[in-house]
Amino acid sequence: MNQTVKAAIIGSTGYGGVELIRLLASHPQVEVTSVISSSTAGAPIAEGYPHLTEIRTDILDDVDPALIRSKADVVFLATPPGIATKLIPSLLAEGLKVIDISGDHRLKSRSEYETWYKKEPAEQQYLDQAVYGLSEVYGESVRGIDFVSNPGCFPTSALLGLIPAVKAGFIDLSTIIIDAKSGVSGAGRGASLGTHYSELNENFKAYKINKHQHIPEIEQVLSDVAGQKVLTTFTTHLVPMTRGIMSTIYATVQGGHGTEDFISLYRNYYEGRKFVRVRGNGIWPSTKEVSGSNYCDIGFSVDERTGRVTIISVIDNLVKGAAGQAIQNLNLMMGWDETLGLNFVPMYP
Amino acid sequence: MNQTVKAAIIGSTGYGGVELIRLLASHPQVEVTSVISSSTAGAPIAEGYPHLTEIRTDILDDVDPALIRSKADVVFLATPPGIATKLIPSLLAEGLKVIDISGDHRLKSRSEYETWYKKEPAEQQYLDQAVYGLSEVYGESVRGIDFVSNPGCFPTSALLGLIPAVKAGFIDLSTIIIDAKSGVSGAGRGASLGTHYSELNENFKAYKINKHQHIPEIEQVLSDVAGQKVLTTFTTHLVPMTRGIMSTIYATVQGGHGTEDFISLYRNYYEGRKFVRVRGNGIWPSTKEVSGSNYCDIGFSVDERTGRVTIISVIDNLVKGAAGQAIQNLNLMMGWDETLGLNFVPMYP
Amino acid sequence: MNQTVKAAIIGSTGYGGVELIRLLASHPQVEVTSVISSSTAGAPIAEGYPHLTEIRTDILDDVDPALIRSKADVVFLATPPGIATKLIPSLLAEGLKVIDISGDHRLKSRSEYETWYKKEPAEQQYLDQAVYGLSEVYGESVRGIDFVSNPGCFPTSALLGLIPAVKAGFIDLSTIIIDAKSGVSGAGRGASLGTHYSELNENFKAYKINKHQHIPEIEQVLSDVAGQKVLTTFTTHLVPMTRGIMSTIYATVQGGHGTEDFISLYRNYYEGRKFVRVRGNGIWPSTKEVSGSNYCDIGFSVDERTGRVTIISVIDNLVKGAAGQAIQNLNLMMGWDETLGLNFVPMYP
Amino acid sequence: MNQTVKAAIIGSTGYGGVELIRLLASHPQVEVTSVISSSTAGAPIAEGYPHLTEIRTDILDDVDPALIRSKADVVFLATPPGIATKLIPSLLAEGLKVIDISGDHRLKSRSEYETWYKKEPAEQQYLDQAVYGLSEVYGESVRGIDFVSNPGCFPTSALLGLIPAVKAGFIDLSTIIIDAKSGVSGAGRGASLGTHYSELNENFKAYKINKHQHIPEIEQVLSDVAGQKVLTTFTTHLVPMTRGIMSTIYATVQGGHGTEDFISLYRNYYEGRKFVRVRGNGIWPSTKEVSGSNYCDIGFSVDERTGRVTIISVIDNLVKGAAGQAIQNLNLMMGWDETLGLNFVPMYP
């Protein structure tokens, strides 16, 4: 009954890994038994993250599949691009359940991965095996399986905001534009001029326009859902804040639907899925309203003048966009309630 | 030769007014002789704005057209909606040159003003008389005249980013989407929950979706430039920073033009206009790169996959989006070099 | 055994009240049964705080002691100065347990309250009855009682950083200087120029120098602990961030003690008290390292050149400085483990 | 008459160097003729600092004293510790005027430099030759000389706040404590975890407690002014903002002086020195009130309860704390008005 799972985290010293530690600390049926970092193995994790002082007193392990197996039942990979590709075959071979938070197993096409990630792709069999864990859409496929590829932060926000409309034929698929904005934690903990405080504070900037590796991920899922190839324009911006993603999505409405129709459509689609909250007419969510929580909040405005809908979708990039959804996937893999251990009230203000 | 103009500022205690004071302090041919505020007349301006201590020792005047005329040749109005409408007839009657930074004289249609501003519009003759001072586009019409309506902050950013492409037929006019982001100073100095630090910090939010009063202003100008009615989708967001606007603009490209074509087109269009800087291929401006200055910086990316162009246009909302462009208009009205007194290097970082 | 307590919150629409809601949502033995606000009674709480959408669907109650008693066993007051004074007698008369987070019952002297708060003080009997709930110091006195006065945010940080040294005679009591810095949420949700985003962002300011109402609170406790009258210099500053307090404390060392002596002293004093973490030599805590959690982290540096110790003490002002410590006090009042429901890992980054 | 000086800047790609470029762009008698960076010589300066696009089109020069001499009359060094030591002998030998913004020539004692900077000190003759350019205090000594050592950012703020009181005997020299706070730009442009956005945003932290290299600089000057050895406690903190320093200074008052006495004393001492603004009773300056300008604003509060004075002193660390004061020193070296080209109104908000 009160089955407890032992979990290991590879990439524990990145922001995704350390957020897994925060969230799992209050999960009633998971115990983190190994925190792993190849770069700082042998050091106490609290040395690099003093907020964990007296909370996690353990030493960082090196990456060793057999050692991991001896300590854990499930392993999360919160690693930079190209690492999970190399580790996962042996982790699966050890009989571990695997949740890959990196982008290595999201694109089903090896050539697409090479084109957008400029890295050697995973073997096709692993790409085929990994189920794309966008919980509210593909959750049923995740139940009971061993290997999940966790969605990207931007795709989570954009796809949850788009899929019901795409499925229902409410929007013209050739007109989708996603203007996305992210807090800086999405860029990871690596120090660079691009993450330097004085460069980003009091600054708003666009980056990787038409080149972001989340473009093919979004299009792959939309195409799957629509049953036809869908192209989108997707732009990313950096906001001078730490956490949060907003996708402002534009599309031409089909069928004369108004704001209330969209609200009803989405409320129906997400019925029973606690982590998507569809806002009422004239109300749009802001990123702080989901901060620290696993919610994705969505609002709509159909403009009769232009015939377009504007959809606002917000998440916390480190929770629903990474560690939180990964735990949601673990819950589904284990056959538990998907909300188990994830009932965080957003931290406001 | 070294003609000096005496200037009065109505609304000196708003952010637009106080920015005029900052910028005009180094203008070689303008002297601010009266700072005016109906709400705090009689108090030293430095009391409410201690950064002006020992710089401006004057007392705030009340609004009195005859008194203004006795002190000044030109008057700037940086007032809330509905005030300039009432004041300007008597100011013009006194023979003052008038630059209206408020939105009261931008829309040429009284009914449009009523629809979007929910206020009593100005008399038609004043709407007709006011020249829309988007300097790089309508500067020639401003030379020598007495009454300028200064463009809004969002429209300045969006229009400078769009007009050359609209004029040249590079984009499909039915596809224009403007996703705009602004620092909080654009909301003025009035205290409200909507400008409260703890509510906005670490937060990114959309507001007034499909309802912003800058929508008809943008469409009026684009329609004028295009020679046909143009509708746009325009969304505004608040960024947790004080200054800066970015407009991320989307449109479907016509005629097979690529990024370099856009760059050439814009560089030609803005040749000789110092305050527009067109960036090279693969480079997009950020708001901090124009902070404190009168520049509008623009970058492009044409995506062959989708056939759309993404245009990034940034300004400092209080300078090129308000006080700076107002001074640029004064320079043009006086027949001076439009850059006079405006050669501020952006403050970076 | 698994006794559950029903709690009401007066002042639910302030930041302290809404933080109680967040924290109590995961408390295993407390259920919030009434959220109360005199100013917005009758409205859904999620209307003013959309982050609570679908989490708290209840309507705000008005303040009515008998109604509260019918719904709750314990009541938290997170009210502006002068309100708790009036409400608490009837709440106690109803047999409710009371935790006053406002400052109304912290000072034992009515005249001191009048001097510093400029309000009518509570009756002396209530000032005498209220136990000052600085948990790690007076926790034993809180066990089983009915009426706790919860410490102020600055005093919590300063006192936890000072008391062991004061008690042990490690510092000269006439030399204590506390330089305190707070995030803006400490100023509450009321809109004013003093909490306006554009005025505080990119700004660091001092306020209420030598006039802050937390001065007599700090001195009252230090005097109690020292057994003699202690005066301190205490300065408050606003930091452009939402949450967090740091007290940087200076005093002249007595007895030749070094940094390690202070560390040992504090580790001994706080042994078994989970929420105080004493850092090692050469390590000073920062506010983000306790954000969202109930920790108070403390670090030391003794300077042999000057003979002074510098003590750094940080808390989250809304948690250990308000709602978190209030829950800790409830735990103590109920005879539970003081950490119950408070094991939040700090949210980092 | 309108003598124009040609200036070179070594270290043009640091924040101090790039601020010199911003400020000198509007100096009526200085032309920047060479921007120099050993690390990126050969590249256009606008490549690394796009805000300079079309403003500075020059290529970064390498460090070559003879080349500098062929282009310039005066050279500013805005270099990391240990570099100016090596360059200045040959720059002086070339007959250049030299303003060293680095800390290499501030401490007169070679052993003190070694102790605090952990670098090889300059030759004693250069330490002896360099005049410490705290303009309002040592300005007369700077007139006409060839080699100035520009004060550190923290010392500028602390010393201008302390010197009149020290000279007048208003405070007990054994009781001086300086609690200093700085924006992040003071840490330079180098990327590290310590300057990473997500680590510093929404965070307040202390650093280098009792170890900062500005301690001996402050004490050297106070000792010189007092005519006796003065020790101080000095603590530095990082504020989540880009620009600005506040020093909150504490000392025990001697002679029974009150707040008004301090105000009078400082107003007399700084009479005629435009860049120091002494605030009135009950008013304390904030950092934003001097942002982008060369002002140092100072306020006071004497507390009769404790017998201590609290002094608040604020500057923009990159202007009065670096580039602005360097230009003020150039003005003095050239025999010009010290305010020439420095009349920037603070940028507010």
Side-chain angles (χ1 to χ4, degrees):
Chain A
M1 206 58 12
N2 256 2
Q3 173 196 12
T4 290
V5 157
K6 288 178 283 178
I9 302 168
I10 304 180
S12 285
T13 56
Y15 288 149
V18 86
E19 184 73 351
L20 277 167
I21 292 171
R22 177 177 83 93
L23 299 177
L24 288 172
S26 59
H27 196 292
Q29 291 181 229
V30 181
E31 182 191 0
V32 176
T33 52
S34 174
V35 290
I36 300 164
S37 166
S38 60
S39 59
T40 50
I45 186 167
E47 197 173 283
Y49 280 107
H51 74 288
L52 295 177
T53 301
E54 298 178 18
I55 296 172
R56 296 290 317 185
T57 55
D58 37 3
I59 303 298
L60 286 157
D61 285 328
D62 207 342
V63 185
D64 173 346
L67 177 67
I68 296 171
R69 187 66 198 99
S70 73
K71 291 188 166 186
D73 311 305
V74 59
V75 60
F76 295 92
L77 290 97
T79 44
I83 308 291
T85 301
K86 289 171 193 143
L87 296 177
I88 283 176
S90 48
L91 296 168
L92 288 171
E94 290 282 352
L96 285 154
K97 287 184 185 295
V98 172
I99 299 170
D100 181 14
I101 304 182
S102 88
D104 285 358
H105 295 84
R106 295 184 198 142
L107 302 183
K108 294 303 180 189
S109 154
R110 300 186 79 227
S111 66
E112 285 269 289
Y113 183 87
E114 268 185 305
T115 300
W116 293 88
Y117 282 81
K118 321 282 184 207
K119 298 259 177 191
E120 179 72 17
E123 295 298 308
Q124 190 65 48
Q125 67 175 106
Y126 297 105
L127 298 180
D128 292 344
Q129 184 183 349
V131 174
Y132 186 77
L134 186 65
S135 313
E136 283 75 12
V137 178
Y138 296 108
E140 290 315 303
S141 311
V142 170
R143 292 200 180 276
I145 65 160
D146 285 339
F147 181 16
V148 164
S149 173
N150 211 57
C153 51
F154 286 120
T156 295
S157 155
L159 292 169
L160 292 176
L162 272 166
I163 283 173
V166 166
K167 280 207 163 162
F170 272 38
I171 56 175
D172 178 344
L173 298 178
S174 70
T175 63
I176 299 170
I177 292 173
I178 303 157
D179 189 280
K181 301 90 175 171
S182 176
V184 181
S185 62
R189 206 188 201 195
S192 71
L193 192 60
T195 58
H196 191 293
Y197 185 89
S198 301
E199 303 284 316
L200 294 180
N201 182 44
E202 275 290 291
N203 199 359
F204 188 85
K205 63 193 302 182
Y207 68 101
K208 279 198 190 178
I209 298 182
N210 292 322
K211 295 208 152 60
H212 199 287
Q213 70 276 11
H214 287 168
I215 293 173
E217 181 179 341
I218 292 168
E219 294 181 350
Q220 172 180 287
V221 176
L222 291 183
S223 300
D224 175 60
V225 163
Q228 64 179 91
K229 179 71 185 160
V230 179
L231 294 182
T232 64
T233 292
F234 171 74
T235 308
T236 44
H237 305 78
L238 268 187
V239 185
M241 62 184 188
T242 304
R243 285 174 182 243
I245 281 178
M246 178 182 285
S247 290
T248 308
I249 303 167
Y250 303 93
T252 297
V253 176
Q254 289 180 154
H257 296 291
T259 301
E260 291 288 1
D261 300 322
F262 276 84
I263 291 172
S264 300
L265 174 71
Y266 279 63
R267 286 192 172 154
N268 279 336
Y269 185 86
Y270 291 119
E271 189 162 15
R273 310 312 292 262
K274 178 178 170 178
F275 294 128
V276 177
R277 301 188 295 189
V278 178
R279 296 296 176 84
N281 201 338
I283 303 176
W284 303 285
S286 70
T287 61
K288 195 194 269 282
E289 291 166 13
V290 297
S291 184
S293 83
N294 202 46
Y295 290 102
C296 173
D297 285 10
I298 307 177
F300 306 90
S301 172
V302 171
D303 182 25
E304 296 186 0
R305 298 170 60 257
T306 59
R308 291 194 189 99
V309 64
T310 304
I311 305 173
I312 303 284
S313 171
V314 299
I315 59 169
D316 182 320
N317 57 304
L318 294 177
V319 189
K320 184 63 179 170
Q325 187 158 242
I327 295 168
Q328 193 177 356
N329 278 315
L330 173 62
N331 289 340
L332 290 164
M333 290 163 90
M334 300 304 300
W336 302 332
D337 181 330
E338 70 177 342
T339 69
L340 199 66
L342 286 173
N343 292 303
F344 297 92
V345 176
M347 192 160 103
Y348 193 97
Chain B
M1 205 62 7
N2 256 1
Q3 174 196 9
T4 291
V5 157
K6 288 177 285 178
I9 302 167
I10 304 179
S12 285
T13 56
Y15 288 150
V18 86
E19 184 72 351
L20 276 167
I21 291 171
R22 178 178 81 93
L23 299 177
L24 288 171
S26 60
H27 195 292
Q29 291 181 229
V30 180
E31 182 191 0
V32 175
T33 52
S34 174
V35 289
I36 300 165
S37 166
S38 59
S39 59
T40 50
I45 187 167
E47 199 172 283
Y49 280 107
H51 75 286
L52 294 176
T53 301
E54 298 177 19
I55 297 173
R56 296 289 318 185
T57 54
D58 37 4
I59 302 298
L60 286 157
D61 285 328
D62 207 341
V63 184
D64 174 346
L67 178 67
I68 296 171
R69 186 65 198 100
S70 74
K71 291 187 167 187
D73 310 306
V74 59
V75 59
F76 295 91
L77 290 98
T79 46
I83 308 291
T85 301
K86 290 171 193 143
L87 295 177
I88 283 176
S90 48
L91 296 169
L92 288 171
E94 290 282 351
L96 284 155
K97 287 183 185 296
V98 172
I99 298 169
D100 181 15
I101 304 182
S102 88
D104 285 358
H105 295 85
R106 295 185 199 143
L107 300 184
K108 294 305 179 190
S109 153
R110 300 186 79 227
S111 66
E112 286 270 289
Y113 181 88
E114 268 185 306
T115 300
W116 293 88
Y117 282 82
K118 320 283 185 207
K119 299 258 176 191
E120 178 73 18
E123 295 298 308
Q124 190 65 48
Q125 67 176 106
Y126 297 104
L127 298 181
D128 292 346
Q129 185 184 347
V131 174
Y132 186 77
L134 186 65
S135 314
E136 283 76 12
V137 178
Y138 296 108
E140 289 315 303
S141 312
V142 171
R143 291 198 180 276
I145 66 160
D146 285 340
F147 180 18
V148 164
S149 173
N150 211 57
C153 51
F154 286 120
T156 294
S157 156
L159 292 169
L160 292 177
L162 272 166
I163 284 173
V166 167
K167 280 207 163 162
F170 271 38
I171 56 176
D172 178 344
L173 298 178
S174 70
T175 63
I176 298 171
I177 293 174
I178 302 157
D179 189 280
K181 301 91 175 172
S182 176
V184 181
S185 62
R189 206 188 201 196
S192 71
L193 191 61
T195 58
H196 191 292
Y197 185 89
S198 302
E199 301 285 317
L200 294 180
N201 182 43
E202 275 291 290
N203 199 359
F204 187 86
K205 62 193 301 182
Y207 67 103
K208 280 196 189 179
I209 297 183
N210 291 322
K211 295 209 152 62
H212 200 288
Q213 70 276 12
H214 286 169
I215 293 173
E217 180 179 341
I218 292 168
E219 294 182 349
Q220 174 179 286
V221 176
L222 290 183
S223 300
D224 175 59
V225 163
Q228 65 178 89
K229 180 71 185 160
V230 178
L231 294 181
T232 64
T233 293
F234 170 74
T235 308
T236 45
H237 305 78
L238 269 187
V239 185
M241 62 183 188
T242 304
R243 287 174 180 243
I245 281 177
M246 178 182 286
S247 290
T248 308
I249 304 166
Y250 303 93
T252 298
V253 176
Q254 289 181 153
H257 297 291
T259 301
E260 292 287 2
D261 300 322
F262 276 84
I263 292 171
S264 299
L265 174 71
Y266 278 63
R267 287 193 171 153
N268 278 337
Y269 185 86
Y270 291 119
E271 189 163 16
R273 310 313 291 263
K274 178 178 170 177
F275 294 127
V276 177
R277 300 188 294 189
V278 177
R279 296 297 175 83
N281 202 338
I283 303 176
W284 304 286
S286 71
T287 62
K288 197 195 269 281
E289 291 166 13
V290 298
S291 183
S293 82
N294 202 45
Y295 290 102
C296 174
D297 286 9
I298 306 175
F300 306 90
S301 172
V302 172
D303 183 24
E304 296 187 0
R305 296 171 62 257
T306 59
R308 291 195 190 98
V309 64
T310 304
I311 305 173
I312 303 284
S313 170
V314 298
I315 60 169
D316 182 321
N317 57 305
L318 293 178
V319 189
K320 184 64 179 171
Q325 187 158 243
I327 296 168
Q328 193 177 355
N329 278 315
L330 174 62
N331 289 341
L332 290 164
M333 290 163 89
M334 300 303 300
W336 302 333
D337 181 331
E338 70 176 343
T339 70
L340 199 66
L342 286 172
N343 293 302
F344 298 91
V345 176
M347 193 160 101
Y348 193 97
Chain C
M1 207 57 12
N2 256 1
Q3 173 196 11
T4 290
V5 157
K6 289 178 283 179
I9 301 168
I10 304 180
S12 285
T13 56
Y15 288 149
V18 87
E19 184 72 352
L20 276 168
I21 292 171
R22 178 177 82 92
L23 298 177
L24 288 171
S26 60
H27 195 292
Q29 291 181 229
V30 180
E31 182 190 1
V32 175
T33 52
S34 174
V35 290
I36 300 165
S37 165
S38 60
S39 59
T40 50
I45 187 167
E47 199 173 282
Y49 281 107
H51 74 287
L52 294 177
T53 301
E54 298 177 19
I55 296 172
R56 295 291 317 187
T57 56
D58 35 5
I59 303 298
L60 286 157
D61 285 328
D62 207 342
V63 185
D64 173 346
L67 178 67
I68 295 171
R69 184 60 251 196
S70 74
K71 291 188 167 186
D73 310 306
V74 60
V75 60
F76 294 92
L77 290 97
T79 45
I83 308 292
T85 302
K86 290 172 192 142
L87 296 176
I88 283 176
S90 49
L91 296 169
L92 288 170
E94 290 282 352
L96 285 154
K97 286 183 186 296
V98 173
I99 299 169
D100 181 15
I101 305 182
S102 87
D104 285 359
H105 295 83
R106 294 184 199 142
L107 301 184
K108 295 303 179 191
S109 153
R110 301 185 78 228
S111 65
E112 285 270 289
Y113 182 87
E114 268 185 306
T115 300
W116 292 90
Y117 282 82
K118 322 281 185 208
K119 298 258 178 193
E120 178 71 18
E123 295 298 308
Q124 189 65 47
Q125 67 175 107
Y126 297 105
L127 298 181
D128 292 345
Q129 183 183 349
V131 174
Y132 186 77
L134 185 66
S135 314
E136 284 76 12
V137 178
Y138 297 107
E140 289 315 302
S141 312
V142 170
R143 291 200 182 276
I145 66 160
D146 284 340
F147 180 17
V148 164
S149 174
N150 211 56
C153 51
F154 286 120
T156 294
S157 155
L159 292 169
L160 292 176
L162 272 166
I163 284 173
V166 167
K167 281 206 163 162
F170 272 37
I171 56 176
D172 177 345
L173 298 178
S174 70
T175 63
I176 298 171
I177 293 174
I178 302 157
D179 189 280
K181 301 90 176 171
S182 175
V184 182
S185 62
R189 206 188 201 195
S192 70
L193 192 60
T195 58
H196 191 292
Y197 184 89
S198 301
E199 302 284 317
L200 293 181
N201 182 43
E202 276 290 289
N203 199 359
F204 187 86
K205 62 192 304 182
Y207 69 102
K208 280 197 188 178
I209 296 182
N210 292 322
K211 296 207 152 62
H212 200 288
Q213 70 276 12
H214 286 169
I215 293 173
E217 182 178 341
I218 292 168
E219 295 182 349
Q220 172 180 287
V221 177
L222 291 183
S223 300
D224 175 59
V225 164
Q228 65 179 90
K229 179 72 185 160
V230 179
L231 294 182
T232 64
T233 292
F234 170 74
T235 308
T236 45
H237 305 79
L238 269 186
V239 185
M241 63 184 188
T242 303
R243 285 174 181 243
I245 281 178
M246 178 182 287
S247 291
T248 309
I249 303 167
Y250 303 93
T252 297
V253 176
Q254 290 181 153
H257 296 291
T259 301
E260 291 288 0
D261 299 323
F262 276 84
I263 292 171
S264 299
L265 174 71
Y266 279 63
R267 287 193 172 153
N268 278 336
Y269 185 87
Y270 291 119
E271 189 162 15
R273 309 314 291 261
K274 178 178 170 177
F275 295 128
V276 177
R277 300 187 295 188
V278 177
R279 295 298 175 82
N281 201 338
I283 303 176
W284 304 285
S286 70
T287 62
K288 197 194 268 280
E289 291 166 14
V290 297
S291 184
S293 82
N294 202 46
Y295 290 103
C296 174
D297 285 9
I298 307 176
F300 305 90
S301 173
V302 172
D303 183 24
E304 297 186 0
R305 297 171 60 257
T306 59
R308 291 196 190 97
V309 63
T310 303
I311 305 172
I312 304 284
S313 170
V314 299
I315 59 169
D316 182 321
N317 57 305
L318 293 176
V319 189
K320 184 64 180 171
Q325 187 158 244
I327 296 168
Q328 193 176 355
N329 278 315
L330 173 62
N331 289 341
L332 290 164
M333 290 163 89
M334 300 304 300
W336 302 332
D337 181 330
E338 70 176 342
T339 70
L340 199 68
L342 286 173
N343 294 301
F344 297 91
V345 176
M347 194 161 102
Y348 193 98
Chain D
M1 204 62 7
N2 257 1
Q3 173 196 11
T4 290
V5 157
K6 288 178 284 178
I9 301 167
I10 304 179
S12 285
T13 57
Y15 288 150
V18 87
E19 184 72 352
L20 276 167
I21 291 172
R22 178 178 82 91
L23 299 177
L24 288 171
S26 60
H27 195 293
Q29 291 181 230
V30 180
E31 183 191 0
V32 174
T33 52
S34 174
V35 289
I36 300 165
S37 166
S38 58
S39 58
T40 49
I45 186 167
E47 199 173 282
Y49 280 108
H51 75 287
L52 295 177
T53 301
E54 298 177 19
I55 296 172
R56 296 291 317 187
T57 55
D58 37 4
I59 302 298
L60 287 157
D61 286 328
D62 208 341
V63 185
D64 173 345
L67 178 66
I68 295 171
R69 186 65 198 102
S70 75
K71 290 187 167 187
D73 309 307
V74 59
V75 59
F76 294 91
L77 290 97
T79 45
I83 308 292
T85 301
K86 290 173 191 141
L87 295 177
I88 283 176
S90 48
L91 296 169
L92 288 171
E94 289 282 352
L96 285 153
K97 287 182 185 298
V98 172
I99 298 168
D100 181 14
I101 304 182
S102 88
D104 285 358
H105 294 84
R106 294 184 200 143
L107 302 184
K108 294 304 179 190
S109 152
R110 301 185 79 227
S111 65
E112 285 270 290
Y113 182 88
E114 268 185 305
T115 300
W116 292 89
Y117 282 82
K118 321 281 184 206
K119 297 259 177 191
E120 177 73 17
E123 295 297 309
Q124 190 65 48
Q125 67 175 105
Y126 297 106
L127 298 181
D128 292 345
Q129 184 183 349
V131 174
Y132 186 77
L134 186 66
S135 312
E136 283 76 11
V137 178
Y138 297 107
E140 290 315 302
S141 312
V142 170
R143 291 200 182 277
I145 65 160
D146 284 340
F147 180 18
V148 164
S149 173
N150 211 58
C153 51
F154 286 120
T156 294
S157 155
L159 292 170
L160 292 177
L162 272 166
I163 284 173
V166 167
K167 280 207 163 163
F170 272 39
I171 56 176
D172 178 344
L173 298 179
S174 70
T175 64
I176 299 171
I177 293 174
I178 302 157
D179 190 280
K181 302 90 174 171
S182 175
V184 182
S185 63
R189 205 187 201 196
S192 71
L193 191 60
T195 58
H196 190 291
Y197 184 89
S198 302
E199 302 285 317
L200 294 180
N201 182 43
E202 275 291 290
N203 199 358
F204 187 85
K205 63 193 302 182
Y207 68 103
K208 281 197 189 179
I209 297 182
N210 291 322
K211 296 207 152 61
H212 200 287
Q213 70 277 11
H214 286 169
I215 293 173
E217 181 179 340
I218 292 168
E219 294 182 349
Q220 172 180 285
V221 176
L222 290 183
S223 300
D224 175 59
V225 163
Q228 63 179 92
K229 180 70 184 161
V230 178
L231 294 183
T232 65
T233 292
F234 170 75
T235 308
T236 45
H237 305 79
L238 268 186
V239 185
M241 62 184 189
T242 304
R243 286 175 181 241
I245 282 177
M246 178 182 287
S247 291
T248 308
I249 303 166
Y250 302 94
T252 298
V253 176
Q254 290 182 153
H257 296 291
T259 302
E260 292 288 0
D261 299 323
F262 276 85
I263 292 172
S264 299
L265 174 72
Y266 279 64
R267 286 194 172 152
N268 279 335
Y269 185 87
Y270 290 119
E271 189 163 14
R273 310 313 292 260
K274 177 177 170 179
F275 295 127
V276 177
R277 300 187 295 189
V278 177
R279 295 298 176 83
N281 202 338
I283 303 176
W284 304 284
S286 71
T287 62
K288 196 194 266 281
E289 291 166 13
V290 297
S291 184
S293 82
N294 202 46
Y295 290 102
C296 174
D297 286 9
I298 307 176
F300 306 89
S301 173
V302 172
D303 182 24
E304 296 186 1
R305 297 170 61 258
T306 58
R308 292 196 189 98
V309 64
T310 304
I311 305 174
I312 303 284
S313 170
V314 298
I315 59 169
D316 182 322
N317 58 305
L318 293 177
V319 189
K320 185 62 180 171
Q325 187 158 244
I327 296 168
Q328 193 176 355
N329 278 315
L330 174 62
N331 289 340
L332 289 165
M333 290 164 90
M334 301 303 301
W336 301 333
D337 181 331
E338 70 176 344
T339 70
L340 199 68
L342 286 173
N343 293 302
F344 297 92
V345 176
M347 193 160 103
Y348 193 97

